[in-house]
Amino acid sequence: MEAQPDRADNRDDRTLIERWLGGDERAATAIVERHATAIARFVSTLGEREIDEVVQDTFVRAFSSFNSFRGESSLRTWLFTIARRLVLDRRRAQRRRPATEPIDDVELASGFTALDSIVAAEAEGQVREAVERLSPTQREVFTLRVGEGLSYKEIAEVVGTTEGAARVHYHNALRTIKDALYV
Amino acid sequence: MSDCSNIEIREALPELLHGRLDAVQATKVREHVARCAECAAELELLERVQRVYAATPAVNTAAIVAALPRPRTRRAFSLGMLRAAAAIVVLLAGALVFRAAMSGSENGNNNQVVVTPDSPAVTVQRDTPATFQRVAQPRVLAMSLSELDDLDADEMESLLSALERIDAAPVAEPDTLMGRVSGVGT
C-alpha cells in the first residue's frame, strides 16, 4: 500500500524557498514555523540536550545552502539529515574534548530526558521508557516513522541506510516496545 | 501482544496515523482494524507514541529566524557586472577612435586628390588633421592640390567626369563622421 506523498507541502516549501532567495525575509519565518517543532522532536529523540541550539544550527546551515538545494527530497527530510549530522558531530566533538565530567553515551542516547517534566501522564511515561530501550538506530527510524510519518525511502535518506534496513529497524523497534509494555 | 499476519495493513498504520493514505486505502485499513484486535492494539500503541512525541518543548522560532543569514538576492546583472560592461564599452570605443585617427594620419595631408588609373578620382577635404580616405579602386594615384594647376583642360574635364562616376561606385568602408567628399578644387 503506497502512501501519498505530501506534494502540496513540498510545493509550498519550494515556493517559500524561492521567495526567500528572491529577498523576501518573511518567507524565512514561515519555513522555520513549518518545520522547527518536527526538527526539535527528532533532535530530542537523538538524545541531544541542547535542542534549541541544534535546531537553530540546522536552519542556519540549511538557509546558507538553499542555493544548492535541488529539491530531490522534501525540505523536511533534508532538514532531518542536517540535524542528524549536527548531533553526530557534536557527539564526536564531546568525545574528543577532555571532559571535566565523564560523558555517558548511554545517557546521551537517551531520547526523552528533556521531556521528563512535560510528559506527566503515567501511560505516556511507560511509552517513553519503552522507546528509551531502543538502540539509537531503532529509535531514529521509529521516531521518523511514527513521530513524523516519513516513508521508508525518506527514512533511509536521513539515516543513511537502505529502505529494507529501515523497515527491519522499524519492526524490531515495534516488537521491543510491545514487549516492554505488554509483558 | 501478538502481531497480525497482514503485513500490508500493519505497514499502512503509521501512514493512516499521519493521513498519508488516499480515501480508498484509508477506508480499507480502517475496515481491517475494526475487525482485527491485533491491528487495533497496534494502532492504539502508535497513537500513544505519537502523543509522547508531540509533547516536545516548543522552540523559539523568533530566535532561530534572527540567527539566519540574509538572503543573497539573485539579480540578472550585479552592479559589478554592469560596471565591468561599461568599462569594456568605453575601452572599445576608445580603441576604435584611436584606430581611425591612426589610419587617417598614415594616409597623408589634409587635402588630397585620389585618382585611379581609369580616372575615377575624388578630392577629400579634411575637417580635422586625421580623418579617413575613401578608396574605390585598388590602385591609387594621389596628388596634392597644388598639382591640379598642372592639368590642362582635357585632363581636368576627364578628372571631373571620373568624379561624377565615382559617386555611384560602392565605397570600401562606411563613411566616418570626420570627413566629407566635396569635389575637386574645393
Side-chain angles (χ1 to χ4, degrees), chain A residues 15-29 31 62-64 66-67, chain B residues 68-73:
Chain A
T15 303
L16 288 169
I17 291 171
E18 285 298 319
R19 274 175 49 195
W20 184 79
L21 288 171
D24 182 358
E25 294 190 38
R26 289 172 303 177
T29 304
I31 291 171
F63 275 76
S64 303
F66 269 158
N67 279 315
Chain B
L68 295 177
R70 297 272 175 175
R72 285 172 292 181
T73 53

Side-chain angles (χ1 to χ4, degrees), chain A residues 17-78:
Chain A
I17 291 171
E18 285 298 319
R19 274 175 49 195
W20 184 79
L21 288 171
D24 182 358
E25 294 190 38
R26 289 172 303 177
T29 304
I31 291 171
V32 171
E33 286 177 347
R34 281 167 72 92
H35 301 290
T37 303
I39 304 303
R41 209 154 44 215
F42 178 59
V43 168
S44 73
T45 63
L46 297 180
E48 178 57 49
R49 290 170 174 172
E50 306 295 337
I51 297 172
D52 282 344
E53 197 174 314
V54 173
V55 173
Q56 180 170 303
D57 289 350
T58 300
F59 281 103
V60 168
R61 192 166 291 193
F63 275 76
S64 303
S65 310
F66 269 158
N67 279 315
S68 61
F69 177 60
R70 290 170 294 180
E72 290 172 356
S73 60
S74 72
L75 176 59
R76 183 166 292 189
T77 303
W78 189 53

Side-chain angles (χ1 to χ4, degrees), chain A residues 110-165:
Chain A
S110 173
F112 297 97
T113 310
L115 304 178
D116 282 353
S117 59
I118 300 163
V119 184
E122 188 178 341
E124 291 181 356
Q126 290 172 347
V127 172
R128 182 193 64 203
E129 288 173 10
V131 173
E132 285 179 356
R133 293 185 190 182
L134 302 176
S135 73
T137 307
Q138 284 178 349
R139 192 181 310 124
E140 280 182 70
V141 171
F142 193 74
T143 301
L144 292 172
R145 183 80 176 135
V146 180
E148 309 303 332
L150 266 59
S151 67
Y152 290 122
K153 182 174 184 292
E154 291 168 325
I155 293 169
E157 284 177 28
V158 174
V159 180
T161 186
T162 63
E163 288 183 53

Side-chain angles (χ1 to χ4, degrees), chain A residues 4 25 146 149 152 178, chain B residues 3 11 15 18 20 42 70:
Chain A
Q4 303 302 306
E25 294 190 38
V146 180
Y152 290 122
K178 282 180 177 178
Chain B
D3 296 332
E11 289 286 8
E15 316 287 359
H18 288 274
R20 295 187 73 175
E42 187 165 313
R70 297 272 175 175

